[in-house]
Amino acid sequence: MSWGDVWVNGDKVRPEIDAAGPRAPWIPAGTISSEERAFVEATQLLRRTRGAHARAVEFDLQLTSAAVGKERADTGKAVVGFEPDGLWLAVDVTPAGSPVEESRFVVFAQRVHVVAGARRAAQRGTKGGPRGTIRLRGRARSRESALEWGYRPARD
């Protein structure tokens, strides 16, 4: 696991994350790059403040798993999709070089959806690279943060 790794889940209730990180029923989906400014800024706000939260976070997910797609495959394939219901999403935000026992994960407070009318459509992957890129948006209710800690090690 490393910074920017993303897991998804389609259950009705968002599963928990512990010190070992996201485990089944979470599915590894792909990565976000460290250049995703909006996501990084929202994560920094989550770390530092309680009142000034980013209420919407948009970012590109570079899919690396065939088990996850933009839309749900109703053709018998075992693919979970962001549309129509959205998916729970967890992201590894562990600083580079940190020991495993200091792993940190954030999760979205609500299900994440594909940005409607996105300027960049999902791109097809290249051999050895991401399978495609999907523009996603996580939102929050009024006066809440779009992100919350899924797991952060306890400080003594």
Side-chain angles (χ1 to χ4, degrees), residues 83-97:
E83 296 302 334
D85 301 326
L87 295 173
W88 296 112
L89 195 133
V91 182
D92 185 347
V93 292
T94 307

Side-chain angles (χ1 to χ4, degrees), residues 124-131:
R124 291 204 182 262
T126 58
K127 205 170 198 175
R131 301 178 64 85

Side-chain angles (χ1 to χ4, degrees), residues 26-83:
W26 289 100
I27 301 168
T31 61
I32 60 171
S33 68
S34 59
E35 291 80 28
E36 289 287 356
R37 185 181 181 106
F39 188 83
V40 173
E41 288 173 352
T43 304
Q44 290 169 340
L45 283 172
L46 178 68
R47 287 183 182 157
R48 287 186 259 167
T49 66
R50 293 190 62 164
H53 296 295
R55 287 180 176 59
V57 180
E58 290 187 10
F59 61 98
D60 291 335
L61 171 63
Q62 299 170 15
L63 289 175
T64 57
S65 172
V68 181
K70 183 176 178 181
E71 297 174 353
R72 187 178 326 157
D74 292 328
T75 59
K77 288 184 177 180
V79 175
V80 295
F82 283 93
E83 296 302 334

Side-chain angles (χ1 to χ4, degrees), residues 94-111:
T94 307
S98 295
V100 174
E101 57 272 3
E102 292 187 19
S103 296
R104 297 174 182 197
F105 299 91
V106 294
V107 291
F108 279 85
Q110 295 186 32
R111 289 175 178 261

Side-chain angles (χ1 to χ4, degrees), residues 138-154:
R139 292 183 181 255
R141 294 180 185 97
S142 177
R143 298 183 183 219
E144 293 182 9
S145 172
L147 296 168
E148 55 194 34
W149 289 109
Y151 179 79
R152 180 169 72 168

